[in-house]
Amino acid sequence: MLLRKYLLVMESQVSKCGFHIVKNKGYMLYPKCTKYSKYRKDRCSRGCKSDGTQLGFGRYGTQSYKAGRLSYRAIEAARRATIGQFHRAMSGQFRRNGKIWVRVLADLPITGKPTEVRMGRGKGNPTGWIARVSTGQIPLEIDGVSLSNARQAATLAAHKPCSSTKFVQWS
């Protein structure tokens, strides 16, 4: 099994798999090193996978309607929007009790060529990172807050990535 090292922003974030995690000042969630620097894009599976479809850590979460790709910037923007909503709604309670889990990890590099470059001469340099999200997967989980605040935060977080999501609650 390939062991990857990931850069992480906060202690409250947990990756989907149990890989080694280190901190960085960049405030983005992406791998520190991978086996290959360039991967193939592949197609997103349209079917529903069984892993990651149930709430595992928190009481509330966002569930994706369709398969797609999330960039590392969209994941970080959704996380920051959620935290900002909690700080506006309930200043001290979230700092003591609230937790956010990001269940997706952008571990696939996306390459791009510079503008006005002729055809050929290989694949471009890595420019960013993406995460594949399947139908029914839960990318974000929330705990330690009320239902109304969690619903507002999930609505704000759903606007950041370019995929349709719905709010789910643990029953």
Side-chain angles (χ1 to χ4, degrees), residues 117-166:
V117 174
R118 293 189 178 188
M119 299 288 284
R121 299 196 182 181
K123 199 169 183 176
N125 296 327
T127 57
W129 299 90
I130 62 160
R132 288 193 191 117
V133 179
S134 62
T135 305
Q137 190 174 354
I138 297 176
L140 188 71
E141 290 191 28
I142 306 164
D143 193 16
V145 295
S146 66
L147 175 63
S148 61
N149 287 334
R151 193 177 293 273
Q152 287 176 354
T155 304
L156 280 177
H159 291 297
K160 303 301 175 184
C162 297
S163 64
S164 57
T165 59
K166 68 176 179 178

Side-chain angles (χ1 to χ4, degrees), residues 6 15-16 25 29 36 41-42 56 59 63 71 88 91 94-95 102 104 109-110 133 140 146 160 164 170:
Y6 295 101
S15 66
K16 184 171 70 172
K25 294 181 182 178
L29 190 63
Y36 303 106
K41 195 181 288 186
D42 288 339
R59 295 184 64 192
Q63 189 173 25
S71 69
R88 284 189 295 272
S91 58
F94 175 70
R95 292 189 187 116
V102 178
V104 294
I110 290 296
V133 179
L140 188 71
S146 66
K160 303 301 175 184
S164 57
W170 183 72

Side-chain angles (χ1 to χ4, degrees), residues 4 6 19 24 29 48 50 66-68 88 97-98 132 136 162 170:
R4 297 178 185 152
Y6 295 101
F19 296 126
N24 183 29
L29 190 63
C48 184
S50 60
K66 59 183 180 178
R88 284 189 295 272
N97 301 329
R132 288 193 191 117
C162 297
W170 183 72

Side-chain angles (χ1 to χ4, degrees), residues 23-41:
K23 274 190 173 182
N24 183 29
K25 294 181 182 178
Y27 297 110
M28 292 289 179
L29 190 63
Y30 57 91
K32 184 176 180 182
C33 61
T34 57
K35 188 173 180 181
Y36 303 106
S37 63
K38 300 173 185 177
Y39 285 86
R40 289 198 174 179
K41 195 181 288 186

